Amino acid sequence: MTESIEWAEKYRPRTLENIVGNKKAVQDIRMWAEAWRSGELPDKRAVILHGPAGVGKTSSAHALARDLDWEVIELNASDQRTAKVIEKIAGSAASMNSLYGNRRLIILDEADNIHGNSDRGGMRALSGIIKNTGQPMVLIANDVYGLTPTIRNLCLEIKFTAVQSRSITPALRQICEAEDLYCSPEAVQKIAENAGGDIRSAVNDLQAAASGKTALEAEDVRTAERDVKDNIFKAMQKIFKSTDPKIALEAAYGLDENPEDLVQWIDENLPQQYAGEDLTDIRTGYGYLAKADLFLGRVRKRQNYGMWKYANMLMVCGTVAAKSGPYHGFIKFQQPSIWRKMGQTRSQRNMRDNVATKIGEHCFESMHDARTGLMRTYSRMARDDIYAVDITAGLGLELEELMYLTGSKKLNKKVQNIYDSAQELLSEKGEKEESKFFKSPKKDLKNQKTPESQKTLESLLEKTPAMGQSKALPVLNPPVLNPPALSPQVHSPGFESIPADQACELKKNEGLENKSSGAGQNNMGNKNDRYEDSVGVSDKKKKNGEPYKKSQKTLFDF
């Protein structure tokens, strides 16, 4: 038996009647499509199909288009979904009919993952298309809170839930009959239970187990089953209803949850499961949770994950030991409320981080510093009519980002006017040019005067002749700092015609003779005379315009 394509694609439902499970969701999407067929635009022009993976969201959208003979225009996660791409593909498809006059169904898969630099501006463009679309649109998302509140208010939300195992079993039997594969009822039931409500995974498991076989038994499924972790609800049932701490601890170890998440589950359900007149069991249970939380805090601080086992033992075994007696009856386990609140505020937190990133890039600060220190200042300036347009244009804010920065919960005329004025300002000056509000004054380096004490290399080169010129260079005269009084000494005649170096040599010999004769006082006078003679000779040569000889020291000699 050879498989040319995957069974999950080969046996994908072709009509809405073949969708497995979620009958209420299928009925809702059919009623929404019938409103489009009536010829009038419905109140909600787009629909959001949200739920876990593998429950039939994308298959339902394609089956709907096939039932109503609508053309399908699809954008999935592998495509770049920037504002320009969405407006070019989805926008053009939403504004005109197909070739034969039928409707077009625009499908945007994984709409909750439109974020980052690759999809910049996609959410804003998508909300604009939904408002003005003339064709039905279907948005598919795993997490509905990943979409912005503006898009959620414009769309009809239809929730898909996990498919029950008793609904998956008949579908698997039909596939076995179509593939001439004998599969025992135990094997089919085991595959359906291991899928965890994901019918696509169940079909993939069946194909993997039946590879190279014509008959399938339960033992074959055991060797080919996927690594499916224990369900959190089954583990919670053992923790709160069991009296054996060992059984509860084994159930916790079989979970695909870390202790950080498990303690949230126990914390949320402990008051409801141990409810009664006596609050001793609840008090004792929270005492064990507090001790477990100490170990979790040490893990976060020291990164010593070996302490997780102590936290697991305290929170699980302590909850079992806290019961003074059995609690009968079934009470539905609740998901941690903090997760629900975090999911609801996810879009707001993403919006906050986007605005903080733009402020940080402008001020050369990190996103954290911009969020904690500069966000409030920019928010006050954005609410000021004087600076609002310049800030919006300079930071490149989207409309929803401007609403968040100004604290506007709903779009009003004032915010819209600020955004439109900023777009006009950007179009006039160009997208790459910053607003004048953010430009720093440029220094006029040409007209700036250099202090007299600051000598540059250019000023020295201007005064120095080029190499090879015939004009002699001036001699660098040493500065005179309070020279001592020169003793009256008669100069020898003819010294003016002798070069400076020869005059210095003669004076040196004359000074040695005076030193040997004991005339120490006249020695200082000789030094002063040498200095005076060298200066005098240079000045005379300079006045007479006579060329210097090679023996004279110039700038290049030094």
Side-chain angles (χ1 to χ4, degrees):
M1 182 170 51
T2 60
E3 296 86 12
S4 58
I5 59 175
E6 294 182 357
W7 287 2
E9 186 65 30
K10 182 179 180 180
Y11 296 102
R12 180 188 289 271
R14 303 299 176 185
T15 62
L16 289 177
E17 295 179 356
N18 297 333
I19 298 295
V20 179
N22 291 292
K23 299 302 180 183
K24 179 64 170 57
V26 172
Q27 183 180 359
D28 292 341
I29 191 175
R30 189 191 300 273
M31 293 177 60
W32 171 78
E34 290 295 334
W36 278 97
R37 293 187 65 183
S38 63
E40 297 181 359
L41 295 177
D43 296 335
K44 303 291 185 179
R45 303 185 183 186
V47 65
I48 300 176
L49 307 182
H50 63 94
V55 296
K57 301 186 298 295
T58 306
S59 299
S60 299
H62 285 274
L64 174 66
R66 193 173 289 106
D67 287 345
L68 302 180
D69 195 18
W70 288 353
E71 183 183 353
V72 175
I73 304 295
E74 184 177 6
L75 282 175
N76 52 39
S78 60
D79 301 323
Q80 189 180 22
R81 298 178 292 185
T82 60
K84 294 183 179 179
V85 174
I86 291 178
E87 290 175 355
K88 180 180 179 181
I89 299 178
S92 59
S95 59
M96 50 187 167
N97 292 330
S98 63
L99 182 62
Y100 300 100
N102 297 332
R103 293 285 185 185
R104 284 180 172 175
L105 182 63
I106 304 171
I107 301 176
L108 185 62
D109 201 359
E110 298 188 26
D112 54 333
N113 290 329
I114 301 179
H115 54 77
N117 293 330
S118 59
D119 298 334
R120 184 176 297 277
M123 284 292 185
R124 178 183 59 82
L126 183 59
S127 61
I129 293 173
I130 294 174
K131 292 178 183 178
N132 304 317
T133 182
Q135 302 293 336
M137 295 184 63
V138 175
L139 278 62
I140 300 174
N142 294 334
D143 183 13
V144 68
Y145 296 108
L147 299 171
T148 60
T150 304
I151 294 179
R152 292 179 57 193
N153 293 332
L154 296 173
C155 301
L156 174 65
E157 297 183 12
I158 298 178
K159 183 178 181 180
F160 279 70
T161 58
V163 184
Q164 297 180 358
S165 59
R166 63 173 179 266
S167 300
I168 298 177
T169 301
L172 296 180
R173 289 175 181 171
Q174 293 178 4
I175 295 175
C176 292
E177 293 176 0
E179 294 291 333
D180 293 332
L181 174 67
Y182 170 78
C183 187
S184 64
E186 293 80 8
V188 174
Q189 185 66 27
K190 189 167 187 178
I191 293 175
E193 292 178 354
N194 288 341
D198 188 345
I199 188 172
R200 181 170 54 199
S201 298
V203 176
N204 292 335
D205 290 344
L206 177 62
Q207 184 179 9
S211 179
K213 299 182 179 66
T214 57
L216 193 62
E217 299 293 339
E219 293 79 8
D220 300 326
V221 176
R222 183 180 297 111
T223 58
E225 65 181 354
R226 293 163 59 245
D227 185 14
V228 180
K229 296 293 184 179
D230 198 2
N231 193 311
I232 181 63
F233 296 101
K234 295 180 180 179
M236 296 297 291
Q237 183 74 18
K238 294 179 181 179
I239 292 174
F240 285 104
K241 300 300 181 182
S242 176
T243 58
D244 189 356
K246 186 177 180 180
I247 296 177
L249 191 60
E250 290 177 355
Y253 286 151
L255 286 173
D256 192 14
E257 303 280 347
N258 58 47
E260 297 280 356
D261 298 335
L262 182 58
V263 72
Q264 299 289 345
W265 279 93
I266 298 176
D267 173 57
E268 184 71 24
N269 293 275
L270 182 60
Q272 288 79 20
Q273 298 297 326
Y274 289 175
E277 296 180 358
D278 190 5
L279 302 179
T280 305
D281 295 352
I282 298 178
R283 188 183 303 111
T284 306
Y286 275 117
Y288 284 110
L289 287 181
K291 294 179 181 179
D293 189 62
L294 292 176
F295 284 95
L296 295 177
R298 292 172 183 172
V299 171
R300 289 190 295 267
K301 183 177 181 180
R302 305 176 186 177
Q303 301 296 309
N304 185 4
Y305 293 96
M307 294 184 180
W308 269 1
K309 58 184 177 182
Y310 303 111
N312 265 330
M313 188 174 298
L314 284 169
M315 72 176 71
V316 174
C317 299
T319 303
V320 175
K323 291 194 297 287
S324 58
Y327 287 87
H328 301 286
F330 175 75
I331 300 176
K332 184 179 179 181
F333 295 104
Q334 301 293 331
Q335 191 180 22
S337 59
I338 188 174
W339 295 357
R340 183 170 61 254
K341 294 178 181 178
M342 294 291 288
Q344 293 174 353
T345 59
R346 176 183 173 184
S347 59
Q348 296 180 1
R349 288 183 283 110
N350 291 339
M351 188 69 64
R352 176 200 62 190
D353 294 342
N354 292 338
V355 175
T357 300
K358 292 183 177 181
I359 294 176
E361 289 177 354
H362 174 260
C363 299
F364 301 98
E365 295 287 347
S366 64
M367 184 188 69
H368 178 268
D369 294 340
R371 187 176 60 192
T372 56
L374 300 174
M375 183 80 76
R376 184 177 301 177
T377 302
Y378 275 79
S379 178
R380 294 181 61 183
M381 297 174 67
R383 289 193 292 266
D384 194 334
D385 297 338
I386 301 177
Y387 307 111
V389 177
D390 291 328
I391 286 180
T392 305
L395 296 180
L397 296 178
E398 302 292 343
L399 182 59
E400 294 177 351
E401 295 172 346
L402 177 60
M403 292 173 57
Y404 177 83
L405 191 60
T406 56
S408 302
K409 296 182 179 180
K410 295 183 179 180
L411 181 62
N412 50 43
K413 293 183 179 180
K414 180 180 179 181
V415 176
Q416 185 67 45
N417 293 335
I418 293 174
Y419 179 76
D420 295 340
S421 301
Q423 295 301 316
E424 293 177 0
L425 183 62
L426 289 176
S427 61
E428 293 176 358
K429 297 185 177 181
E431 296 180 356
K432 297 183 179 180
E433 184 179 0
E434 295 181 351
S435 175
K436 291 182 178 180
F437 177 79
F438 294 99
K439 284 186 176 180
S440 58
K442 294 183 179 180
K443 296 182 179 180
D444 190 1
L445 299 179
K446 294 183 179 180
N447 299 328
Q448 186 176 2
K449 295 182 178 180
T450 305
E452 296 181 357
S453 59
Q454 182 179 356
K455 299 300 182 180
T456 60
L457 181 61
E458 289 78 2
S459 61
L460 292 176
L461 293 177
E462 289 178 358
K463 298 180 181 180
T464 305
M467 292 291 294
Q469 293 183 357
S470 59
K471 185 177 180 180
L473 296 175
V475 179
L476 295 178
N477 297 326
V480 180
L481 300 177
N482 299 327
L486 297 177
S487 59
Q489 186 177 355
V490 179
H491 295 280
S492 301
F495 254 75
E496 291 78 359
S497 60
I498 301 175
D501 53 348
Q502 296 181 10
C504 293
E505 186 66 21
L506 292 175
K507 286 293 181 182
K508 182 178 179 180
N509 297 332
E510 187 178 355
L512 290 175
E513 294 175 359
N514 294 333
K515 184 177 181 181
S516 59
S517 61
Q521 182 65 26
N522 293 333
N523 191 19
M524 180 62 67
N526 294 336
K527 293 181 180 180
N528 295 331
D529 291 341
R530 289 198 302 270
Y531 171 79
E532 188 178 39
D533 292 339
S534 61
V535 174
V537 171
S538 300
D539 292 339
K540 289 184 177 182
K541 291 291 183 181
K542 185 175 181 181
K543 291 180 181 179
N544 299 331
E546 298 179 6
Y548 292 99
K549 297 182 180 181
K550 292 185 180 180
S551 59
Q552 291 177 298
K553 302 297 181 181
T554 64
L555 177 64
F556 295 103
D557 295 329
F558 290 99

